[in-house]
Coordinates of all heavy atoms in Angstrom, one line a residue:
L429 N 11.1 9.8 -11.3 CA 10.3 8.7 -11.6 C 11.1 7.4 -11.5 O 10.5 6.4 -11.0 CB 9.9 8.8 -13.1 CG 8.8 9.9 -13.4 CD1 8.5 9.9 -14.9 CD2 7.6 9.7 -12.6
T430 N 12.4 7.4 -11.8 CA 13.2 6.2 -11.6 C 13.2 5.8 -10.1 O 13.0 4.6 -9.8 CB 14.6 6.5 -12.0 OG1 14.6 7.0 -13.4 CG2 15.5 5.2 -12.0
Q431 N 13.3 6.7 -9.2 CA 13.3 6.5 -7.8 C 12.1 5.8 -7.3 O 12.1 4.9 -6.5 CB 13.6 7.8 -6.9 CG 15.0 8.4 -7.3 CD 15.0 9.3 -8.4 OE1 14.3 9.1 -9.4 NE2 15.8 10.4 -8.4
I432 N 10.9 6.4 -7.7 CA 9.6 5.7 -7.2 C 9.4 4.4 -7.8 O 8.9 3.5 -7.2 CB 8.5 6.7 -7.5 CG1 8.3 7.1 -8.9 CG2 8.5 7.9 -6.5 CD1 6.9 7.6 -9.3
Y433 N 9.9 4.2 -9.0 CA 9.8 2.9 -9.7 C 10.7 1.9 -8.9 O 10.3 0.8 -8.6 CB 10.2 3.0 -11.2 CG 10.1 1.7 -11.9 CD1 8.9 1.1 -12.2 CD2 11.3 1.0 -12.1 CE1 8.9 -0.1 -12.8 CE2 11.2 -0.3 -12.9 CZ 10.0 -0.8 -13.2 OH 10.0 -2.1 -13.8
E434 N 11.9 2.3 -8.7 CA 12.8 1.4 -8.0 C 12.3 1.0 -6.6 O 12.4 -0.1 -6.1 CB 14.2 2.0 -7.9 CG 15.0 2.0 -9.1 CD 16.2 2.9 -9.1 OE1 16.4 3.8 -8.2 OE2 17.1 2.7 -10.0
N435 N 11.7 1.9 -5.9 CA 11.1 1.7 -4.6 C 9.9 0.8 -4.8 O 9.8 -0.2 -3.9 CB 10.6 3.1 -4.0 CG 10.0 3.0 -2.7 OD1 10.7 2.7 -1.7 ND2 8.6 3.0 -2.6
F436 N 9.1 0.9 -5.8 CA 8.0 0.1 -6.0 C 8.5 -1.5 -6.2 O 7.9 -2.4 -5.8 CB 7.2 0.5 -7.2 CG 5.9 -0.2 -7.4 CD1 4.9 -0.1 -6.6 CD2 5.7 -1.1 -8.5 CE1 3.6 -0.7 -6.8 CE2 4.6 -1.8 -8.7 CZ 3.5 -1.6 -7.9
K437 N 9.6 -1.5 -6.9 CA 10.2 -2.9 -7.3 C 11.1 -3.4 -6.2 O 11.8 -4.4 -6.4 CB 10.9 -2.7 -8.6 CG 10.0 -2.6 -9.8 CD 9.6 -3.9 -10.3 CE 8.6 -3.9 -11.5 NZ 8.1 -5.2 -11.8
D438 N 11.2 -2.7 -5.1 CA 12.1 -3.1 -4.0 C 13.6 -3.1 -4.5 O 14.4 -3.9 -4.0 CB 11.7 -4.4 -3.4 CG 10.5 -4.3 -2.5 OD1 10.4 -3.3 -1.9 OD2 9.7 -5.3 -2.5
Q439 N 13.9 -2.3 -5.4 CA 15.3 -2.2 -5.8 C 16.0 -1.1 -5.1 O 15.5 -0.2 -4.6 CB 15.4 -1.9 -7.3 CG 14.8 -3.0 -8.2 CD 14.6 -2.6 -9.6 OE1 14.8 -1.4 -10.0 NE2 14.2 -3.5 -10.5
K440 N 17.5 -1.2 -5.1 CA 18.3 -0.2 -4.5 C 18.1 1.1 -5.3 O 18.1 1.0 -6.5 CB 19.7 -0.7 -4.5 CG 20.5 -0.2 -3.3 CD 21.9 -0.9 -3.2 CE 22.8 -0.1 -2.5 NZ 23.7 0.6 -3.4
L441 N 18.1 2.2 -4.6 CA 18.0 3.5 -5.3 C 19.3 3.8 -6.0 O 20.3 3.8 -5.4 CB 17.6 4.6 -4.4 CG 16.2 4.7 -3.7 CD1 16.1 6.0 -3.0 CD2 15.2 4.5 -4.8
T442 N 19.1 4.1 -7.4 CA 20.3 4.6 -8.1 C 20.3 6.1 -8.2 O 19.3 6.7 -8.0 CB 20.4 3.9 -9.5 OG1 19.1 4.2 -10.1 CG2 20.6 2.5 -9.4
Y443 N 21.4 6.8 -8.6 CA 21.4 8.1 -8.8 C 22.0 8.5 -10.2 O 22.7 7.6 -10.8 CB 22.3 8.8 -7.7 CG 21.6 8.6 -6.4 CD1 21.9 7.5 -5.5 CD2 20.7 9.5 -6.0 CE1 21.2 7.3 -4.3 CE2 20.0 9.4 -4.8 CZ 20.3 8.3 -3.9 OH 19.6 8.1 -2.7
P444 N 21.8 9.6 -10.7 CA 22.2 10.0 -12.1 C 23.7 9.8 -12.2 O 24.4 10.2 -11.3 CB 21.8 11.4 -12.3 CG 20.7 11.6 -11.3 CD 20.9 10.7 -10.1
K445 N 24.2 9.3 -13.4 CA 25.6 9.2 -13.6 C 26.2 10.5 -14.1 O 25.5 11.2 -14.7 CB 26.0 8.0 -14.5 CG 25.6 6.7 -13.9 CD 26.0 5.6 -14.9 CE 25.5 4.2 -14.4 NZ 24.0 4.1 -14.2
F446 N 27.4 10.8 -13.8 CA 28.1 11.9 -14.3 C 28.1 11.9 -15.8 O 28.7 10.9 -16.4 CB 29.5 12.1 -13.6 CG 30.3 13.2 -14.1 CD1 29.8 14.4 -14.2 CD2 31.6 13.0 -14.4 CE1 30.5 15.5 -14.7 CE2 32.5 14.1 -14.8 CZ 31.9 15.3 -14.9
Q447 N 27.6 12.9 -16.4 CA 27.6 13.0 -17.9 C 28.5 14.0 -18.5 O 28.5 15.1 -18.0 CB 26.0 13.3 -18.3 CG 25.8 13.5 -19.7 CD 26.0 12.2 -20.6 OE1 27.1 12.0 -21.1 NE2 25.0 11.4 -20.7
T448 N 29.2 13.6 -19.5 CA 30.1 14.6 -20.2 C 30.0 14.4 -21.7 O 30.9 14.9 -22.4 CB 31.6 14.2 -19.8 OG1 31.9 12.9 -20.2 CG2 31.9 14.4 -18.3
N449 N 28.9 13.7 -22.1 CA 28.8 13.6 -23.6 C 27.6 14.4 -24.1 O 27.1 15.2 -23.4 CB 28.5 12.1 -23.9 CG 29.6 11.3 -23.8 OD1 30.8 11.7 -24.1 ND2 29.5 10.1 -23.3
W450 N 27.4 14.4 -25.4 CA 26.4 15.1 -26.1 C 26.5 16.6 -25.8 O 27.6 17.2 -25.9 CB 25.0 14.5 -25.7 CG 24.9 13.1 -26.0 CD1 25.1 12.2 -25.0 CD2 24.5 12.4 -27.2 NE1 24.9 10.9 -25.6 CE2 24.5 11.1 -26.8 CE3 24.2 12.8 -28.4 CZ2 24.2 10.1 -27.7 CZ3 23.9 11.9 -29.3 CH2 23.9 10.6 -29.1

Side-chain angles (χ1 to χ4, degrees):
L429 291 179
T430 307
Q431 294 85 328
I432 54 162
Y433 177 76
E434 286 168 343
N435 181 71
F436 188 70
K437 289 273 179 188
D438 283 327
Q439 292 168 355
K440 208 170 159 259
L441 290 189
T442 54
Y443 293 92
K445 287 182 189 66
F446 177 42
Q447 174 64 268
T448 57
N449 285 324
W450 307 93

